[in-house]
Amino acid sequence: MFVFLLKRAAQAIGIVLVVAFLSFVMFQFVGDPIEGMISENATQQERDELRESLGLNDGVIVQYTRFVKNMAQGNFGISYYNKSDVLSLIIERLPATLELVFVAVVISLVVGILLGVWSAYSRNGLMKNTVQILSLVGVSLPSFVAGILLIVVFSVWLKWLPSHGRGEIVEFGYWSSGLLTLSGLKAVLLPAISLSLFMITMIMRLLKSEIQETMRADYIRFAKARGISERSIKYKHVLKNSILPVVTIIGLQVGGLIAFAVVTETIFQWPGMGLLFIQAVNYVDIPVISAYLVIVAIMFVVINTFVDLIYLLVDPRIKVS
Amino acid sequence: MNDLIATQEPSLKRRWGAKMTDIVSSVWDSDIVYSLRNSKVTIVSFIVMAVILILGLGADLFAPTNPFDPTSFSLFDSEIPPVWTDSGDSRFILGTDIQGRDVYSLLLYGVRISLMVGFVSVLLSLVLGVVLGLISGYFGGKVDALIMRIADAMLSFPTIMFALLVSGVARGIFPKEMHGDISVYVIIFSITATGWMQYARTVRGAALLESGKEYVQAARVMGSSSARIMFKHILPNTISPVLVIGTLHIALAVLTEATLSFLGVGMPPNQPSLGTLINEGNQYLFSGQWWVVLFPAMVLVVLALCVNLVGDWIRDVLNPKLR
């Protein structure tokens, strides 16, 4: 177990270092950082001095080492566009994105599992068709169109839910939460639904096929032969064994959701990291882009390691390798 | 003599006719057409897809105005709702946008650009993926390991994220006035770079299987070159899953392009794709101009839906095991 953890940690650090290298390369080749930091009518000498004081004349390896060291200390530099510390910019935006993704995951779990179980066990064609239509909608309806439709229906026509922003938020030191006030909860609903649509269809399809496969397993037939009630077989034995792959997939998809939140945050003007990232891309704000990349990579790696760990704890059949 | 010709002619004709009906009926009864005849959904999606395709490709012919010619529209005609509403104008079937451009014409040109980007990026990913997959599966060993590692790494990269990054880098490298012109290449590159892995994996698996078979050994004994064996002998046996992936990939590529354009890093406003149109329309949604955003969004979803349905059908036809 310990060795496994060590191995995973080493792998994770490796991945983060590679991503850090990518963003370092971006720093090196895209634009001139001096241009972003100094006023346009500075003299050549002032430029050279700044260049020297920033260490931009050192060798590549020295610069990369310093880059990683700075990042490890939380120093991601100064945003060219906002002229403020990149890390505090991102930390300020982080809670919004994480709460949005959290709510989206909860929604997709509840709805996806319900629909998956329901469609796997129902015997009539109606449910089968519903599942088929839903999965087609899932792959054909891009999340930004879904978001616009939700805004049109619930904000413009019905005026039930707000179309943008986070509503009232409560501050706890570094963390700001919108999940504790009514207006915050109302605000998170539409973005979370539009973000969860894809995952709902995925969980639904996956769970359905897993359940159908498990139903054919020998131990289920044996359980039937022992006279265990249909209900107990369906919801205790089969479901328990079918839900594991779903857990893995969700874990792997959470990273993707954080990345995809960029789209949702743009539609709903949700003040999260994604909106910051889009802004950074538009203004070629390299420090923000690279910091975002590294931070998302760290989150991705941490989540994946946790999922592996959970998997290991939940399913004793998997040997530590 | 005359009698002979006279008697022969009808029989010749009959034979010809019989042959034609034979061909027609054999096509009509073939597996593919039989399956098509029995799937009304597929027929409808084929027709809808064809209509959108023809209208888009022939935008010059079918569009009543050219939305890129500033003399063809005027601000006096701006914000006119569709023709069936009370204040509609018969000149503009689907209404006009804030600049007075005909939404229907914009839509046709938008479809063309969306489809062009989708097709080109799918074609490039297909070629890249198939070639790398063939090399990987045929040669194996270190080449195979390298290619598959790269594929794994790319698979964990969300397309949207990758495209945003490439776009950010491109904006940094190229001067500002070129940003509009390079964006189409940025999109195509991003979709290709994040889309080839599926082809490569599929073809690699099939190539691995095929290259152990006797006909490949025979070709090798006959002295055929590796390239000839890969492309002439192995490739045809791996092509059907590639076609299925390709069809479904077109829908995905069109949607990805639309998403990027919606985010503002895709097609610029002077070459609007469906996504750009939705993005522009979205800005005026709250002032009540629902038609500017609704029609492009509808066309996009319907197009993706039809392509997906046709793709599913092709998969079922080419893979008889699933039937």
Side-chain angles (χ1 to χ4, degrees), chain B residues 34-83:
Chain B
Y34 177 78
S35 141
L36 186 62
R37 269 188 299 161
N38 280 298
S39 167
K40 289 198 184 72
V41 178
T42 315
I43 296 176
V44 172
S45 3
F46 249 124
I47 293 170
V48 174
M49 202 172 82
V51 168
I52 296 179
L53 207 72
I54 291 167
L55 284 178
L57 293 182
D60 299 310
L61 296 172
F62 299 114
T65 61
N66 180 359
F68 308 115
D69 175 13
T71 56
S72 71
F73 54 89
S74 88
L75 276 176
F76 294 114
D77 296 328
S78 68
E79 299 174 42
I80 296 176
V83 71

Side-chain angles (χ1 to χ4, degrees), chain A residues 22 26 29-31 136-137 139-142 144-145 148-149 151-152 155-156 163-164 256 259-260 262-263 266-267 277-278 281-282 284 286 289 292-293 296 300, chain B residues 156-158 160-161 164-165 167-169 171-173 176 179 252 255 258-259 262-265 275 278 282 285-286 293-294 297 300-301 304-306 308-309 312:
Chain A
L22 277 180
M26 225 158 54
F29 294 104
V30 182
L136 267 171
V137 167
V139 290
S140 307
L141 188 70
F144 74 101
V145 173
I148 293 175
L149 286 180
I151 289 182
V152 168
S155 306
V156 180
S163 64
H164 63 277
F260 219 79
V262 173
V263 181
T266 310
I267 308 163
F277 181 61
I278 278 282
V281 167
N282 275 322
V284 200
I286 300 292
I289 297 180
Y292 177 83
L293 255 192
V296 168
F300 199 82
Chain B
S156 62
F157 233 119
I160 300 284
M161 194 78 133
L164 285 174
L165 266 183
S167 162
V169 170
R171 274 159 198 256
I173 293 174
K176 215 177 179 94
H179 288 177
L252 193 66
L255 291 181
T259 306
F262 177 76
L263 290 176
V265 296
I278 296 171
N282 190 36
L285 195 57
F286 289 99
V293 65
L294 189 72
L300 179 70
V301 174
L305 191 66
C306 290
N308 273 324
L309 283 168
D312 281 349

Side-chain angles (χ1 to χ4, degrees), chain B residues 201-257:
Chain B
R201 286 185 154 192
T202 312
V203 171
R204 173 188 174 267
L208 215 59
L209 199 75
E210 295 295 323
S211 56
K213 287 190 181 165
E214 279 174 350
Y215 74 95
V216 175
Q217 287 173 7
R220 222 174 269 156
V221 169
M222 280 165 71
S224 300
S225 69
S226 296
R228 192 184 157 83
I229 295 175
M230 280 195 287
F231 290 101
K232 199 102 198 244
H233 299 295
I234 297 179
L235 183 60
N237 288 310
T238 63
I239 211 72
S240 63
V242 168
L243 285 181
V244 176
I245 300 172
T247 319
L248 295 172
H249 194 193
I250 288 176
L252 193 66
V254 168
L255 291 181
T256 309
E257 183 278 325

Side-chain angles (χ1 to χ4, degrees), chain A residues 38-319:
Chain A
I38 208 162
S39 68
E40 275 177 27
N41 42 21
T43 63
Q44 189 59 42
Q45 201 196 346
E46 282 174 316
R47 283 164 198 263
D48 289 343
E49 275 167 13
L50 183 62
R51 191 177 294 273
E52 187 61 43
S53 72
L54 287 173
L56 292 176
N57 294 332
D58 297 340
V60 172
I61 295 176
V62 177
Q63 284 198 50
Y64 176 60
T65 322
R66 186 166 51 222
F67 183 80
V68 171
K69 214 187 262 171
N70 280 340
M71 281 199 169
Q73 291 167 353
N75 180 5
F76 289 88
I78 307 288
S79 154
Y80 296 162
Y81 177 70
N82 288 322
K83 307 282 185 232
S84 54
D85 183 45
V86 171
L87 188 67
S88 54
L89 267 179
I90 290 186
I91 290 209
E92 200 186 308
R93 302 287 195 108
L94 191 66
T97 297
L98 288 186
E99 280 187 353
L100 173 63
V101 170
F102 172 73
V103 177
V105 169
V106 171
I107 292 178
S108 22
L109 267 180
V110 173
V111 180
I113 289 179
L114 278 179
L115 281 177
V117 171
W118 186 19
S119 62
Y121 289 147
S122 83
R123 293 225 169 81
N124 57 6
L126 181 77
M127 198 54 222
K128 205 180 148 200
N129 286 338
T130 315
V131 169
Q132 220 160 16
I133 290 168
L134 271 180
S135 20
L136 267 171
V137 167
V139 290
S140 307
L141 188 70
S143 108
F144 74 101
V145 173
I148 293 175
L149 286 180
L150 286 174
I151 289 182
V152 168
V153 174
F154 292 102
S155 306
V156 180
W157 288 351
L158 298 172
K159 296 194 167 50
W160 286 352
L161 297 164
S163 64
H164 63 277
R166 275 184 89 188
E168 256 177 82
I169 50 171
V170 185
E171 303 271 354
F172 302 99
Y174 282 120
W175 195 269
S176 67
S177 175
L179 298 183
L180 297 174
T181 61
L182 187 65
S183 76
L185 282 175
K186 268 175 150 179
V188 80
L189 213 53
L190 288 187
I193 290 174
S194 92
L195 188 59
S196 62
L197 279 183
F198 180 72
M199 207 142 110
I200 288 177
T201 56
M202 201 170 58
I203 294 177
M204 179 185 77
R205 275 190 300 187
L206 191 72
L207 190 60
K208 186 185 168 206
S209 63
E210 282 295 329
I211 287 178
Q212 283 172 340
E213 196 143 303
T214 315
M215 283 298 267
R216 284 196 290 268
D218 282 344
Y219 63 87
I220 297 300
R221 284 163 63 190
F222 188 66
K224 275 183 194 156
R226 273 170 65 199
I228 296 174
S229 76
E230 181 101 335
R231 201 185 165 77
S232 171
I233 290 178
K234 274 182 179 173
Y235 295 102
K236 232 172 115 192
H237 299 257
V238 175
L239 198 57
K240 214 157 116 192
N241 285 295
S242 312
I243 217 135
L244 264 175
V246 178
V247 173
T248 336
I249 288 292
I250 292 167
L252 293 176
Q253 287 294 316
V254 169
L257 271 191
I258 293 175
F260 219 79
V262 173
V263 181
T264 314
E265 287 178 11
T266 310
I267 308 163
F268 292 95
Q269 290 299 305
W270 185 259
M273 279 161 60
L275 211 54
L276 187 73
F277 181 61
I278 278 282
Q279 197 186 51
V281 167
N282 275 322
Y283 293 106
V284 200
D285 197 346
I286 300 292
V288 176
I289 297 180
S290 68
Y292 177 83
L293 255 192
V294 173
I295 288 175
V296 168
I298 292 174
M299 292 201 301
F300 199 82
V301 161
V302 169
I303 291 169
N304 279 3
T305 313
F306 265 106
V307 170
D308 279 355
L309 210 61
I310 292 173
Y311 210 56
L312 205 69
L313 295 176
V314 173
D315 192 347
R317 284 172 302 182
I318 298 169
K319 284 197 189 103

Side-chain angles (χ1 to χ4, degrees), chain B residues 120-130 191-193 195-196 199 249:
Chain B
V120 172
S121 22
V122 167
L123 198 67
L124 287 178
S125 353
L126 193 148
V127 171
L128 184 69
V130 166
I191 298 179
T192 307
W196 58 272
Y199 302 96
H249 194 193

